[in-house]
Amino acid sequence: MQYHLSDSFVCAGLRRAEWTKPVSAPDLRRRFSLTEIPREAALTVCGLGFYELWVNGVRLTRGLLSPYITNPDDVLDYDLYDIAPYLQTGENVLAFRLGNGMQNAMGGYVWDFDRASFRSSPVLAFWCGMIFSDGRTEDWEADSLVRTAPSPVLWDDLRGGEVYDARLERAGWTLPGFDDGDWQAAQPAAAPGGEKVLCRAKPIRIEKILPAQKIRMDVLTYPDREESVSGYLYDFGENTAGVPVLRVKGERGQKIEMIFGEYINEDGHFDVSNIRFDFLRKEYRHLPPGVQKDIYICRGGEEEVYMPRFTYHGGRYALVSGVTARQAQPSLLSFAVAHSDLGERGDFYCSDDTLNRLQEMTRRSILANFFHFPTDCPHREKNGWTADAALSAEACLMNFDPSENYREWLLHIRKAARPDGSLPGIIPTTGWGFDWGNGPAWDQVLVTLTELVYRFTGDKAVIAENAGAMLQYCRYLKTRRDEKGLLAIGLGDWCAPHGDPKAPLLLTDSVISRDIAQKTAFLLGEIRRDGDAAECAALADSLYQAIRAHLIDEGTMTAAGACQTSQAMALFYGIFTPQDAEKAYARLLDFIREQQEHIDCGVLGARVLFRVLSDGGDADLALRILKQKTAPSYGEWLERGETSLCEDFSPYAEHVNSLNHHFLGDISAWFMEYFGGIRVNEEKTDPRRVDIAPLFPAGLSMASARFGGTEVCWMRENGGITLRLKMAEGKYGALRLPAGYVFADGRTVRPAASGEYRIVTP
């Protein structure tokens, strides 16, 4: 289908909404007449921030929060529609409703989105092109014939919520024949300066509807404001993300307020203090707290159904006020779980309920934090924090198929880079995140996503798209090295237990910078940019020499910091040679014993610790650390009833941070790759290669994993292990056994082929 991306933008008016000065979301209509139905009809739409689309009354919007969440000075995303099936002879109408989105992100003031140079009222561009049976063509763009009027959406904000007055609804406004004579002509608007692209990211869809599991009376207090809200607390049973679905038969003008959150405090009351941000900038402290709040005003009469379109919420609970006891039934409010439509690629299940629950929590957190791109949390921030995505990307790719969304976001990452190659910590951004919140451990997202998408797909186009940015970033790293050739320029082992990271920033930044340079050298070599690859390889070697000279105690083979994170990272990233590894690994075990087999890592150490232990023959130790019932541990989350992964390992008595993060979610990939044994294209030579190399820890009696049609299941029985393998069509690889196990015929390696295998100890 041929299409055009128009930069002819219109708007309803120049006045934009402010936090305490609402402006209604605009409705827009464009009528046109046809004497015959075209053979082909294409429509491209860029609604900034968000849009809803109807063609002759049929809602066609590609997905929630379309087209994308972007800095429009960097990238303008458009959606493409085939509208031919919805056209008719005579009058036709294109109808749109616009939300603020990132174009006017009032609730993002903590990250300076309120100061964005592009900030304006919502704007719309569209192009309609038609081909008729005789080959004649017709096309037009948003123009002075677009009519506009205020909608019932009185106020909307991506983080704050939505206010909807159903009394202002206009029946039939999306249909032909509606009289819009009292509507105003749309005004021309300046086109943002970003690159125009057709959005390749998979749309945001509703996955399922959660009914309320429990309902009780409760009170929400704001201690710093001496305010409180009483209402009915709806518990949906899991901490997730999406939008509410309100069904009510109310009185005309009845005002229903819904506040969403994830935490019940030690007094047993609903609490949103861990996701509020209104107190973080002093100029906003006088404003009423408004995070994750929807307000619906009833039109009265028959049952009304409301679902907000220009916001979304994270949490498990909703406090509903303004309803009667008779209305406060389970049917009043449900929760539509939503996320980018990433599909289903793999999963894991085993004999240990702790691992199964953590697998479920990881998948839930990944999806709850995937709205177009990976976010850090679905409630407080909704920001594209770069480290979060890099650390969980392998788990995401093993469970789902985010490749197209990653490639779309990589474009936005490249556009956000400064000319020197440096990157911000959040993307999109208007400039926040360069002075704090970035650095190699965060910036690695550019290379990590490129490398993993290539590994899982084999498509070299993703390398070509990002080659220039990766090379420029490596050159940027050269400029930031100190006199010893090391780096300490960003965030380090974030969310370490009980305070500041034990691993020195000098070590974590330098080790990850070396990994970035190594991966960039490999990727550039794959597209025959051999000179650039050699430059990056030289940088990697130079960093290695500096790390060995200044950050490794050669006598004890201890990495600087003498802690779990430092030692595990040095082992995982190859800082210790094979000759050093035994001594270095023994030091890691020392650090684990010092903590009574508890995790003592932040996000960087946690990403590698369990893998290093499993590779070292201590998978059972890794499982004991994982399952500890006291903090800091994953097991402690289960003890207190969490249903999603938390931001840190702090117990409630110490600190309550976000309870729905995904950057500690690599455990899912660890489960699938080590206990399920599914290793996808480890050598990065052929994505058709899937090796099967399961471990059989004493703590498990059964484990199963699946990925892309390949399925592995093993169980202990009759004094040995029975392994059943189904290889996906077109895949090949080796079936390898860990030390201490052999097949019934005495071999330890054989071609991976579908079948049943008996495994014994020799």
Side-chain angles (χ1 to χ4, degrees):
M1 185 185 300
Q2 293 184 338
Y3 62 88
H4 169 66
L5 304 181
S6 170
D7 57 5
S8 178
F9 281 84
V10 296
C11 65
L14 300 180
R15 190 167 72 92
R16 66 180 186 231
E18 301 291 348
W19 196 259
T20 56
K21 296 177 181 178
V23 175
S24 297
D27 286 341
L28 303 101
R29 304 177 81 245
R30 173 47 157 96
R31 291 179 290 169
F32 60 100
S33 294
L34 294 173
T35 57
E36 63 174 292
I37 298 175
R39 185 180 74 220
E40 296 180 21
L43 177 71
T44 57
V45 181
C46 180
L48 297 172
F50 304 133
Y51 73 88
E52 287 280 296
L53 165 67
W54 296 261
V55 177
N56 290 338
V58 179
R59 186 191 295 273
L60 294 183
T61 319
R62 183 168 176 262
L64 296 175
L65 310 182
S66 289
Y68 201 75
I69 300 173
T70 180
N71 175 337
D73 282 343
D74 289 341
V75 184
L76 297 176
D77 283 273
Y78 291 70
D79 289 328
L80 172 64
Y81 296 91
D82 174 8
I83 63 171
Y86 309 99
L87 300 180
Q88 63 186 23
T89 56
E91 183 178 319
N92 292 264
V93 64
L94 304 177
F96 304 89
R97 178 169 290 167
L98 301 182
N100 282 306
M102 276 292 291
Q103 191 69 19
N104 186 28
M106 297 164 283
Y109 51 79
V110 175
W111 307 278
D112 292 347
F113 289 115
D114 62 323
R115 300 169 178 172
S117 60
F118 56 76
R119 192 176 170 206
S120 74
S121 61
V123 297
L124 170 71
F126 64 85
W127 168 88
C128 182
M130 294 174 285
I131 302 176
F132 295 90
S133 57
D134 60 0
R136 178 172 51 90
T137 63
E138 178 182 332
D139 68 286
W140 35 270
E141 302 172 306
D143 54 21
S144 60
L145 297 179
V146 175
R147 309 283 290 175
T148 181
S151 79
V153 180
L154 302 184
W155 186 87
D156 67 276
D157 179 72
L158 177 62
R159 296 171 178 84
E162 189 173 292
V163 179
Y164 188 95
D165 189 343
R167 297 172 299 179
L168 303 179
E169 292 176 342
R170 299 180 183 88
W173 76 273
T174 65
L175 294 168
F178 176 80
D179 183 4
D180 59 12
D182 60 345
W183 289 37
Q184 303 298 310
Q187 301 180 28
E195 178 184 347
K196 296 181 293 183
V197 299
L198 199 63
C199 184
R200 69 188 302 168
K202 295 176 182 177
I204 297 170
R205 305 284 196 204
I206 292 173
E207 175 197 347
K208 61 183 178 180
I209 305 294
L210 293 178
Q213 303 295 309
K214 299 176 184 177
I215 306 171
R216 64 176 172 88
M217 292 292 296
D218 202 2
V219 178
L220 169 65
T221 60
Y222 299 99
D224 57 317
R225 296 174 177 270
E226 299 182 353
E227 297 179 31
S228 64
V229 179
S230 299
Y232 294 88
L233 187 67
Y234 280 64
D235 179 353
F236 298 106
E238 61 185 60
N239 193 359
T240 184
V243 289
V245 181
L246 177 71
R247 294 180 179 273
V248 64
K249 186 174 182 180
E251 299 295 325
R252 185 171 178 81
Q254 181 180 354
K255 183 178 178 181
I256 301 172
E257 182 178 285
M258 298 159 281
I259 302 173
F260 298 84
E262 60 176 0
Y263 173 52
I264 301 297
N265 63 29
E266 59 186 7
D267 296 324
H269 294 298
F270 180 56
D271 195 324
V272 297
S273 58
N274 72 315
I275 63 173
R276 282 177 56 198
F277 49 76
D278 51 285
F279 52 83
L280 293 178
R281 283 232 321 246
K282 62 182 181 180
E283 64 266 40
Y284 285 93
R285 290 175 189 166
H286 69 286
L287 300 179
V291 62
Q292 298 213 131
K293 179 193 294 185
D294 296 329
I295 296 174
Y296 181 77
I297 303 170
C298 298
R299 65 176 175 270
E302 298 301 316
E303 182 182 71
E304 305 169 46
V305 180
Y306 165 68
M307 186 179 80
R309 297 287 178 174
F310 298 136
T311 189
Y312 74 98
H313 307 307
R316 173 174 173 171
Y317 308 99
L319 185 68
V320 184
S321 59
V323 297
T324 66
R326 184 176 180 180
Q327 291 171 324
Q329 301 300 312
S331 59
L332 176 75
L333 193 68
S334 55
F335 196 78
V337 176
H339 50 75
S340 290
D341 187 11
L342 303 182
E344 181 76 15
R345 179 181 259 168
D347 206 350
F348 174 82
Y349 181 79
C350 70
S351 56
D352 191 304
D353 187 56
T354 294
L355 273 64
N356 295 336
R357 291 170 65 190
L358 288 170
Q359 167 71 1
E360 179 184 6
M361 290 163 62
T362 301
R363 286 167 59 93
R364 181 175 295 125
S365 289
I366 287 172
L367 291 176
N369 283 287
F370 218 120
F371 278 68
H372 294 311
F373 49 79
T375 63
D376 63 323
C377 56
H379 35 60
R380 181 183 63 213
E381 293 198 31
K382 300 180 170 71
N383 280 322
W385 277 97
T386 50
D388 300 50
L391 293 168
S392 70
E394 193 162 347
C396 188
L397 281 155
M398 288 296 293
N399 284 276
F400 311 107
D401 185 6
S403 297
E404 289 303 297
N405 286 65
Y406 281 160
R407 289 179 71 173
E408 173 70 36
W409 194 43
L410 280 164
L411 167 63
H412 297 250
I413 292 172
R414 298 194 301 272
K415 291 290 186 178
R418 286 179 171 169
D420 66 357
S422 60
L423 293 166
I426 61 171
I427 297 162
T429 183
T430 62
W432 191 95
F434 282 100
D435 297 328
W436 183 91
N438 58 350
W442 271 241
D443 306 339
Q444 67 176 313
V445 69
L446 172 65
V447 177
T448 298
L449 294 190
T450 302
E451 187 249 3
L452 284 171
V453 170
Y454 175 58
R455 176 182 145 198
F456 277 76
T457 67
D459 187 352
K460 292 184 179 180
V462 69
I463 305 177
E465 290 163 3
N466 295 287
M470 292 188 296
L471 177 62
Q472 189 63 23
Y473 185 78
C474 286
R475 290 172 174 169
Y476 162 73
L477 288 177
K478 292 181 185 180
T479 70
R480 300 303 306 271
R481 299 176 72 184
D482 64 15
E483 67 281 359
K484 296 178 180 178
L486 303 169
L487 295 102
I489 60 175
L491 298 181
D493 195 26
W494 193 247
C495 291
H498 312 306
D500 294 333
K502 293 181 179 179
L505 181 61
L506 202 64
L507 181 131
T508 56
D509 266 4
S510 298
V511 168
I512 289 179
S513 293
R514 187 233 182 184
D515 184 62
I516 289 170
Q518 279 186 310
K519 287 176 177 173
T520 301
F522 165 76
L523 292 167
L524 294 178
E526 289 293 282
I527 59 172
R528 310 310 306 161
R529 292 181 58 165
D530 297 334
D532 294 332
E535 178 184 345
C536 295
L539 171 61
D541 183 66
S542 176
L543 283 165
Y544 175 79
Q545 298 301 329
I547 293 166
R548 287 295 304 220
H550 302 291
L551 297 177
I552 301 297
D553 182 329
E554 299 287 343
T556 63
M557 289 302 162
T558 303
C563 63
Q564 290 180 19
T565 289
S566 295
Q567 204 70 5
M569 286 184 67
L571 284 160
F572 182 83
Y573 290 107
I575 302 302
F576 293 114
T577 68
Q579 293 74 27
D580 305 331
E582 183 176 351
K583 197 171 186 178
Y585 186 76
R587 292 294 290 140
L588 174 62
L589 296 181
D590 290 340
F591 301 141
I592 291 171
R593 284 190 287 268
E594 289 173 6
Q595 299 300 320
Q596 291 77 50
E597 296 188 352
H598 281 74
I599 193 169
D600 193 28
C601 304
V603 296
L604 303 183
R607 168 65 177 82
V608 301
L609 177 66
F610 299 127
R611 292 172 178 268
V612 170
L613 290 174
S614 299
D615 287 335
D618 286 303
D620 277 298
L621 172 60
L623 286 175
R624 290 198 301 273
I625 296 170
L626 181 86
K627 295 171 60 178
Q628 288 282 6
K629 294 184 178 181
T630 54
S633 74
Y634 288 83
E636 192 266 344
W637 294 347
L638 298 179
E639 289 296 300
R640 67 192 195 201
E642 304 298 348
T643 62
S644 55
L645 303 184
C646 301
E647 185 174 2
D648 57 37
F649 295 113
S650 302
Y652 280 175
E654 207 172 278
H655 183 67
V656 182
N657 219 324
S658 165
L659 305 180
N660 196 341
H661 260 57
H662 60 103
F663 59 11
L664 290 168
D666 185 67
I667 54 172
S668 174
W670 173 53
F671 296 162
M672 298 172 75
E673 294 170 350
Y674 283 79
F675 305 135
I678 298 179
R679 307 295 184 94
V680 181
N681 192 19
E682 288 186 297
E683 300 301 319
K684 296 173 244 181
T685 57
D686 186 351
R688 295 173 300 171
R689 174 150 192 162
V690 178
D691 291 328
I692 309 300
L695 300 180
F696 309 122
L700 297 181
S701 61
M702 182 277 288
S704 66
R706 58 180 176 83
F707 173 86
T710 294
E711 299 178 10
V712 181
C713 180
W714 62 261
M715 62 184 66
R716 300 184 189 277
E717 56 183 17
N718 302 323
I721 292 173
T722 299
L723 184 147
R724 296 179 179 88
L725 170 62
K726 175 187 174 184
M727 287 293 285
E729 184 176 353
K731 303 296 183 181
Y732 71 96
L735 175 54
R736 307 192 305 265
L737 297 183
Y741 293 90
V742 297
F743 294 107
D745 61 6
R747 287 188 288 175
T748 59
V749 181
R750 61 192 307 157
S754 297
E756 182 173 299
Y757 301 89
R758 182 68 178 164
I759 299 168
V760 297
T761 54

